[in-house]
Amino acid sequence: PGATLPSAAVALPERYADALRAGEPAVLGRVEHGRCLLDLRALPPDADAALTAAVLAVGAGRER
């Protein structure tokens, strides 16, 4: 607690948060300052394609 770890995040509109959480697989991010932040340090490199597909599906308004 209280430690800050270096990281990078993808910032998306806040409206993405609920849709990503409800998807399959669920994508969990945090909402800060009106943005949905997906912290990439928590994602193994082999999951990049699944994350990309989930984000693009939400952006296109498609159900996953």
Side-chain angles (χ1 to χ4, degrees), residues 16-49:
Y16 279 60
D18 288 339
L20 288 169
R21 288 179 186 140
E24 182 59 43
V27 176
L28 303 178
R30 69 183 187 278
V31 175
E32 282 185 18
H33 307 291
R35 306 294 288 168
C36 172
L37 300 176
L38 304 179
D39 193 333
L40 300 180
R41 77 170 167 231
L43 184 70
D46 63 342
D48 286 351

